[in-house]
């Protein structure tokens, strides 16, 4: 996850390192006090922070036979145009709290409206939290906010 946080929070506060930005943001917005300590609120957790995420609707599916996770989406074209992010690349994070994560190797642009990630069977079985964001590859490393999409069982 660290490599995604470095990309996703690089520009959030340019005076700080991306990891510090990510920790600061998530400690302030994605942790909750519980009776036994603190817990992460995965819906409020962010992998990236930037311009608004244009994804308006989405579906995802896991194909156990091929070991793939596929997401398809529709997006707000006005938001994409306003922030010049139509050609921004998709980044996925599929995260299990027991420290197992998957991400996509190929990165399709926002306008492609679909992205696939390869899953492998590992010792960790359970729920995976799904996050998506888009980032520019023009050297600016500008990102959208990550969007929490829910969970799936693997």
């Amino acid at each position: 996850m660290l490599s995604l946080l470095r990309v996703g929070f690089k520009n959030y506060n340019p005076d700080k390192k991306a990891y510090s930005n990510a920790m600061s943001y998530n400690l302030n917005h994605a942790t909750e006090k519980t009776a036994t300590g603190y817990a992460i609120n995965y819906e409020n957790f962010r992998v990236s922070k930037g311009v608004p995420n244009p994804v308006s609707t989405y579906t995802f599916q896991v194909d156990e036979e091929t070991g793939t996770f596929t997401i398809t989406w529709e997006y707000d074209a006005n938001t994409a145009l306003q922030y010049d992010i139509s050609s921004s690349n998709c980044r996925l994070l599929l995260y299990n709290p027991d420290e197992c994560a998957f991400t996509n190797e190929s990165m399709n642009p926002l306008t492609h409206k679909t992205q696939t990630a390869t899953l492998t069977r590992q010792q960790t079985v359970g729920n995976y939290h799904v996050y998506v964001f888009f980032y520019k590859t023009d050297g600016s490393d500008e990102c959208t906010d990550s969007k929490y999409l829910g969970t799936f069982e693997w």
Side-chain angles (χ1 to χ4, degrees):
M1 183 188 310
L2 184 58
S3 62
L4 287 179
L5 292 174
R6 285 183 176 143
V7 170
F9 276 89
K10 181 177 182 180
N11 293 329
Y12 182 62
N13 180 349
D15 295 333
K16 290 184 175 181
K17 292 188 180 220
Y19 180 76
S20 295
N21 286 334
M23 289 296 293
S24 177
Y25 180 87
N26 285 308
L27 284 172
N28 286 316
H29 295 93
T31 56
E32 298 174 344
K33 188 169 177 130
T34 66
T36 59
Y38 288 89
I40 296 172
N41 179 325
Y42 291 99
E43 291 182 29
N44 291 341
F45 186 84
R46 296 289 177 262
V47 180
S48 67
K49 196 73 180 114
V51 301
N53 192 312
V55 171
S56 54
T57 60
Y58 58 88
T59 60
F60 57 81
Q61 130 183 23
V62 176
D63 186 330
E64 297 211 16
E65 191 172 304
T66 61
T68 56
F69 172 93
T70 303
I71 179 176
T72 57
W73 63 81
E74 294 296 325
Y75 66 94
D76 181 332
N78 290 330
T79 300
L81 182 63
Q82 178 182 357
Y83 294 101
D84 189 28
I85 54 176
S86 295
S87 62
S88 295
N89 287 343
C90 177
R91 293 306 309 256
L92 290 173
L93 174 64
L94 313 174
Y95 176 72
N96 180 287
D98 292 328
E99 299 304 318
C100 184
F102 299 103
T103 187
N104 54 311
E105 292 180 19
S106 66
M107 292 166 262
N108 295 333
L110 173 68
T111 55
H112 196 72
K113 299 183 183 180
T114 186
Q115 183 66 59
T116 300
T118 302
L119 305 172
T120 57
R121 283 285 173 200
Q122 298 184 3
Q123 292 179 345
T124 303
V125 175
N127 282 324
Y128 284 78
H129 298 273
V130 180
Y131 299 89
V132 64
F133 72 95
F134 300 86
Y135 80 103
K136 291 183 178 182
T137 58
D138 62 2
S140 69
D141 292 327
E142 291 179 18
C143 292
T144 67
D145 290 344
S146 61
K147 187 174 194 96
Y148 180 76
L149 305 182
T151 62
F152 71 93
E153 183 84 21
W154 177 250

